[in-house]
Amino acid sequence: MKNIFIFFFLIVISTASVISGDWITIGGNSQRNGQSVDIGPSSATVYWNKPTLSSYWGMQVFIYGDKCVTSRYTSLSPLTAPLVCHNLNTGDSLWTRNYAPNGVMVVMGFNNNKIYVRNFQQQGVDSFYAINPDNGNIIWKSNFTLERGITWAAIFAPNGDLFVPGSGTKSIMRINHTNGDTVWTKYRIIPNTGAETMCLYGNTLYTWEGSLVTPKRIAAFDANTGAIKYYSAALPGDGDQEIPFSIGPNGTIYAIRDGGLLYALKDNGTGFNQLWTYQPVTPLGTYSQFGAGRDSTVYIPSGRRILHFNHQTGAVLDSSEELSSSGYINPRITVGADGKLYVGNGASVPSDGKVFCLSSNLQTIWSVPLAYNYYSGPALGTNGILVVNGNGTNIIAYRTSVGVSSNNNLPAGFSLEQNYPNPFNPSTKIKFNIPGKNNVSSSNVRLVIYDILSREVETLIDKNLYPGSYEVEWNAAGYTSGIYFYKLEYAGNIIVKNMTLIK
């Protein structure tokens, strides 16, 4: 018999910032803010360490379901990089592929059970493919070609379509994920490689725009039609633009201009409001990716450190230690469901490469060396498995069993416990149980927070989970006092409970 609890008010579901449990692109999601619904490792406990193709440097790992994929640069002359696919739970190699003679296969996304990869030949006319992750076979090869750039990756519409930078006049393309055809194309001017970055929030696609000799600004496009909506004011800085941007869970855009300021911008529906600015310490790495906390605060590099900012005022709340002893850093940040950060420092001096685990106030919990990681960041996937890779012949995963019950004591039924503490300020923990058999993935599980007006506040979990007992922490520091509801959905069952935030 199903336990179904029904809201006494109408629930309006928002899709502005739903975050899955997979690592589908650089930055983890289409806002590129590093947020994950999984709780990552609390110690540097190696879950598996398995051989893979030898590579001169590490590339970003992408995760979907029970598989992880990356590119390995096996030769510099001629430049060659096959794909490798590993089982996420065991680390075992599943297959390796290259789809062209001396092809340089750069992964640009892993979503809806398709790996998206381009043959990066540094000519601005890169072929791209959709690959079956089960066997490495080609599902389709697009008739269109892509722009240059080793560091950009695709982002995804809710239906799975890709947004990518195309060649020539098709400098923005929405690609039908089922066949590789264009849904629409749009022309924009960008100054150089690195400025291809795009982010999606709700129904709006955001991009850099501007040439080497014209002002750089953020452009907003209608994601369904490609129509331009509006531009930000000019953001002063150098002629080029290589540093990407990110969007926080509340829609704030965080963009660092090369040679300029960090800007916090808010889309008001007809343009952009500038919330605050900050002068970061230079030099700044061009392959960085920012991170956002559950309370909407933001983590952004400055010099060799990560700084923690109040998203409303720009006040600096915390600072990390220096993440490298020399050179500069290109950090990529992953933020677990419990607020811990996982940072690949992307050190410009390859031997200084490291992965750090930091607390939400940026105190170092643990770190491990990882040389040649300047194109690679930590990827956090199902059941808190954190995968990293650098140069050499191995790919490594870390995991500790935080918040998950032993497989020897699986729960008998579906249940949601009352949050604790309650009332709370600002954090509370929510426990729930998913029934089933050992190592058998469940149906999709969703845990969503709503306010008293039935507005979706935050999606804590939206993914398949293995049977077990789970605990998720919600940090409500960015929200006002009042009654909130948390709803758990699993296999057609719904349970709703309420909680009280008192500040």
Side-chain angles (χ1 to χ4, degrees):
M1 180 175 179
K2 296 180 178 179
N3 295 318
I4 301 179
F5 291 72
I6 302 175
F7 278 122
F8 62 90
F9 51 80
L10 176 64
I11 294 175
V12 180
I13 299 296
S14 167
T15 60
S17 185
V18 174
I19 298 170
S20 74
D22 301 301
W23 205 256
I24 61 174
T25 188
I26 294 175
N29 54 65
S30 290
Q31 294 81 53
R32 302 194 191 278
N33 59 31
Q35 283 197 349
S36 172
V37 300
D38 286 280
I39 297 174
S42 56
S43 64
T45 303
V46 174
Y47 187 54
W48 48 257
N49 184 342
K50 292 297 180 76
T52 191
L53 293 181
S54 181
S55 182
Y56 284 90
W57 56 77
M59 292 292 287
Q60 181 65 52
V61 174
F62 299 77
I63 298 173
Y64 189 83
D66 63 354
K67 297 179 179 66
C68 58
V69 65
T70 190
S71 309
R72 302 295 287 172
Y73 276 72
T74 56
S75 173
L76 299 183
S77 182
L79 193 63
T80 306
L83 289 188
V84 296
C85 185
H86 289 254
N87 183 290
L88 178 63
N89 296 305
T90 66
D92 293 339
S93 176
L94 301 177
W95 50 263
T96 64
R97 292 286 191 281
N98 204 328
Y99 302 97
N102 301 318
V104 181
M105 297 298 160
V106 176
V107 184
M108 58 184 189
F110 192 0
N111 194 28
N112 288 332
N113 213 35
K114 297 185 188 73
I115 301 166
Y116 299 99
V117 59
R118 67 186 186 277
N119 185 11
F120 171 64
Q121 296 293 352
Q122 298 181 308
Q123 298 170 345
V125 288
D126 297 351
S127 301
F128 70 105
Y129 311 77
I131 304 300
N132 185 332
D134 293 328
N135 51 31
N137 292 339
I138 295 173
I139 298 173
W140 51 253
K141 178 182 178 182
S142 179
N143 293 322
F144 302 90
T145 57
L146 300 177
E147 186 52 272
R148 66 198 187 283
I150 194 172
T151 60
W152 66 261
I155 56 172
F156 297 93
N159 73 340
D161 285 353
L162 299 78
F163 296 97
V164 292
S167 300
T169 59
K170 298 178 175 62
S171 49
I172 305 176
M173 300 192 297
R174 178 168 176 160
I175 297 293
N176 185 317
H177 71 98
T178 65
N179 56 24
D181 290 340
T182 55
V183 178
W184 55 258
T185 67
K186 193 73 176 180
Y187 178 66
R188 63 164 172 164
I189 299 171
I190 57 173
N192 52 278
T193 182
E196 302 95 345
T197 297
M198 294 180 266
C199 292
L200 182 70
Y201 189 84
N203 190 42
T204 303
L205 179 72
Y206 299 94
T207 77
W208 283 115
E209 193 272 343
S211 72
L212 284 169
V213 296
T214 59
K216 260 59 76 188
R217 53 190 180 171
I218 297 291
F221 295 86
D222 185 294
N224 289 330
T225 66
I228 183 66
K229 298 171 73 173
Y230 32 79
Y231 299 95
S232 73
L235 306 178
D238 294 343
D240 58 3
Q241 180 60 44
E242 296 182 294
I243 304 172
F245 65 96
S246 298
I247 301 180
N250 65 347
T252 302
I253 299 167
Y254 302 99
I256 295 180
R257 274 289 284 117
D258 287 26
L261 301 177
L262 162 63
Y263 292 87
L265 306 174
K266 189 75 170 182
D267 188 333
N268 61 25
T270 59
F272 296 90
N273 296 330
Q274 181 177 296
L275 302 182
W276 51 265
T277 64
Y278 181 83
Q279 178 63 67
V281 176
T282 57
L284 292 169
T286 57
Y287 312 136
S288 302
Q289 203 65 58
F290 311 153
R294 288 288 173 186
D295 57 357
S296 294
T297 57
V298 64
Y299 300 92
I300 294 178
S302 179
R304 295 177 190 155
R305 301 176 186 269
I306 303 295
L307 300 184
H308 184 198
F309 292 89
N310 180 296
H311 65 288
Q312 296 173 321
T313 67
V316 176
L317 304 176
D318 305 290
S319 172
S320 74
E321 64 173 297
E322 288 200 343
L323 302 186
S324 180
S325 59
S326 60
Y328 57 90
I329 61 173
N330 297 275
R332 291 185 177 179
I333 301 172
T334 300
V335 184
D338 60 350
K340 291 196 297 293
L341 278 68
Y342 303 92
V343 183
N345 68 352
S348 64
V349 178
S351 59
D352 281 349
K354 286 185 177 181
V355 174
F356 291 81
C357 174
L358 307 175
S359 66
S360 59
N361 64 352
L362 297 181
Q363 300 303 298
T364 299
I365 299 173
W366 55 265
S367 67
V368 292
L370 188 70
Y372 290 85
N373 70 340
Y374 37 73
Y375 294 136
S376 174
L380 186 57
T382 302
N383 296 315
I385 301 173
L386 187 80
V387 185
V388 300
N389 76 127
N391 70 331
T393 58
N394 285 61
I395 185 169
I396 305 170
Y398 298 90
R399 180 175 182 255
T400 51
S401 56
V402 176
V404 183
S405 69
S406 165
N407 281 339
N408 294 323
N409 188 26
L410 292 175
F414 173 58
S415 64
L416 175 65
E417 298 184 19
Q418 186 64 48
N419 65 298
Y420 181 83
N422 187 43
F424 65 97
N425 179 29
S427 298
T428 188
K429 294 181 179 180
I430 300 170
K431 295 182 178 181
F432 61 92
N433 295 314
I434 301 298
K437 299 179 180 180
N438 284 329
N439 299 320
V440 177
S441 184
S442 74
S443 300
N444 186 260
V445 176
R446 279 176 53 85
L447 179 61
V448 183
I449 309 294
Y450 297 88
D451 66 14
I452 193 66
L453 298 178
S454 80
R455 295 174 300 199
E456 182 176 322
V457 171
E458 195 164 334
T459 299
L460 300 183
I461 292 178
D462 185 5
K463 62 178 295 183
N464 284 5
L465 293 178
Y466 285 97
S469 298
Y470 293 83
E471 179 180 283
V472 177
E473 182 175 359
W474 183 45
N475 188 323
Y479 302 104
T480 58
S481 298
I483 296 175
Y484 291 83
F485 296 84
Y486 56 104
K487 182 179 74 163
L488 184 67
E489 297 179 75
Y490 158 72
N493 297 277
I494 299 175
I495 303 177
V496 178
K497 293 182 182 289
N498 63 65
M499 54 187 169
T500 304
L501 171 62
I502 298 178
K503 293 189 173 181

